[in-house]
């Protein structure tokens, strides 16, 4: 008799309830300990509830100014081709990106959002017995990626609240957290959820300290929004450090979050290894067309960035004037410390149709992460906040 059939028909198994725990026990070890990504509120349900007044959505760092009109036109142009598969090479988009960043197309990897790539780096380069380094108050996906791959996560402490870069990444602590078992290190610049960034010179010095067999993923999802004089993209260091990976996305500054297009820039050899696991048609045809057109419309991007910078300053000042601490930010969101009343403030905002992001899951229960909206959205946010106090 078949031993596999014997094993699955034992009494203990047939009488066990078919709940999540039952199936989790069948999963690989990394997944057994995993908790699914928390997407926040059920936005579709809240939109329905506030359909007459319009929900103000400031929880997901989306761009309120929308995508380039050229990108919208490019999407419509491919509608008659949707019975075809998309270009599995993403050739046109890669050539446009290569020109923009001054790199070779072989240094580019396209993803179904950068989220997909962040997960896959751990699947490919980390695993049981290895560890992955990230920072306290770092993006939640890094921990998820490490756990999913079965690797151990080592968290470096962030800078203290009293530091000028309050709760930002401590680059020295990150370097110190690297062990002989470390395969991968994730760091966002600027960071989500703090909005902080690190100094270009400090990062260059950090890269000198990282062993060549530790891959450093610099997540630059918010790079376009950064205008501080001491900020610099890690793209400039790619030539000097073959272990460096930079990820970018079309979800934030380019306002194409709904289409799911992101990319990584790295050494051609590293990209070639990643290509072995990439799903052939991971970026859809509409996304490829829209991203290429959006990249070409720099005027729209600059217009949208300028409005964000202006509203970011106005909103930060409005919070400070009301006595709340605002973390220094180079992003399209602000991390604001409201103190012990934070859960009540968040609940009150939601009841008034304003969605922001609670930070309890990040170990910051006294803070809310608030996307910088357009002028009208920010006004409604502040009115709702004032009605709360
Ligand atoms: C929004 C965000 C991303 C982008 O995710 P996509 O999958 O490209 O939409 C990546 N990293 C961070 C830190 C983010 O906040």
């Amino acid at each position: 008799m078949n031993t596999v059939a014997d094993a699955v028909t034992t009494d203990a198994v047939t009488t066990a309830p078919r709940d999540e725990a039952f199936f989790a026990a069948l999963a690989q070890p990394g997944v057994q300990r995993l908790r699914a990504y928390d997407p926040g509120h059920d936005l579709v349900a809240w939109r329905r509830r506030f359909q007459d007044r319009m929900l103000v959505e400031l929880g997901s760092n989306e761009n309120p100014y929308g995508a380039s009109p050229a990108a919208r036109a490019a999407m419509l142009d491919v509608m008659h081709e949707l019975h075809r598969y998309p270009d599995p090479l993403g050739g046109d988009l890669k050539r446009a990106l290569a020109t923009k960043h001054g790199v070779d197309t072989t240094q580019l990897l396209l993803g179904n959002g950068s989220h997909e790539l962040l997960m896959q780096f751990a699947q490919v380069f980390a695993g049981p017995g290895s560890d992955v380094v990230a920072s306290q108050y770092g993006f939640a996906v890094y921990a998820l990626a490490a756990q999913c791959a079965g690797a151990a996560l080592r968290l470096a402490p962030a800078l203290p609240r009293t530091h000028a870069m309050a709760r930002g990444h401590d680059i020295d602590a990150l370097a110190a957290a690297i062990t002989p078992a470390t395969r991968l290190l994730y760091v966002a610049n600027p960071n989500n959820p703090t909005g902080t960034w690190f100094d270009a010179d400090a990062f260059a010095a950090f890269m000198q300290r990282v062993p060549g067999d530790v891959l450093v993923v610099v997540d630059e999802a918010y790079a376009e929004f950064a205008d501080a004089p001491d900020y610099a993209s890690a793209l400039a260091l790619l030539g000097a450090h073959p272990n460096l990976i930079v990820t970018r996305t079309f979800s934030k500054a380019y306002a194409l979050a709904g289409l799911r297009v992101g990319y990584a820039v790295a050494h051609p050899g590293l990209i070639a290894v990643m290509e072995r696991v990439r799903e052939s048609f991971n970026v859809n045809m509409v996304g490829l067309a829209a991203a290429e057109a959006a990249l070409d419309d720099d005027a729209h991007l600059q217009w949208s960035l300028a409005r964000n910078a202006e509203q970011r300053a106005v909103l930060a000042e409005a919070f400070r004037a009301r006595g709340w601490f605002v973390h220094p930010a180079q992003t399209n969101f602000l991390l604001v410390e409201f103190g012990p009343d934070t859960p009540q403030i968040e609940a009150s905002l939601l009841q008034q149709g304003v969605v922001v992001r609670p930070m309890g899951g990040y170990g910051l229960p006294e803070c809310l992460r608030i996307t910088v909206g357009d002028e009208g959205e920010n006004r409604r946010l502040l009115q709702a906040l004032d009605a709360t106090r």
Side-chain angles (χ1 to χ4, degrees), residues 113-115 118 139 142 188 192 219 221-222 249 251-252 260-262:
S114 53
H115 190 147
L118 294 169
F139 191 38
Y142 313 148
N192 175 15
D219 179 348
Y222 299 95
T249 181
S251 299
K252 307 285 159 58
R260 318 301 306 122
V261 188

Side-chain angles (χ1 to χ4, degrees), residues 207-296:
M207 282 307 296
Q208 299 287 350
R209 289 174 63 186
V210 177
D213 60 353
V214 174
L215 303 182
V216 176
V217 179
V218 184
D219 179 348
E220 296 191 349
Y222 299 95
E224 295 88 353
F225 296 106
D227 52 17
D230 61 342
Y231 172 84
S233 166
L235 284 169
L237 301 177
L238 279 171
H241 300 283
N243 58 329
L244 184 61
I245 303 168
V246 178
T247 62
R248 293 274 184 112
T249 181
F250 284 92
S251 299
K252 307 285 159 58
Y254 290 97
L256 291 172
L259 286 181
R260 318 301 306 122
V261 188
Y263 60 99
V265 195
H267 187 278
L270 187 148
I271 297 296
V273 172
M274 288 296 293
E275 281 289 349
R276 298 178 191 183
V277 298
R278 184 179 65 85
E279 190 258 301
S280 335
F281 303 105
N282 63 333
V283 184
N284 70 79
M285 185 188 292
V286 183
L288 288 173
E292 189 190 346
L295 209 56
D296 196 43

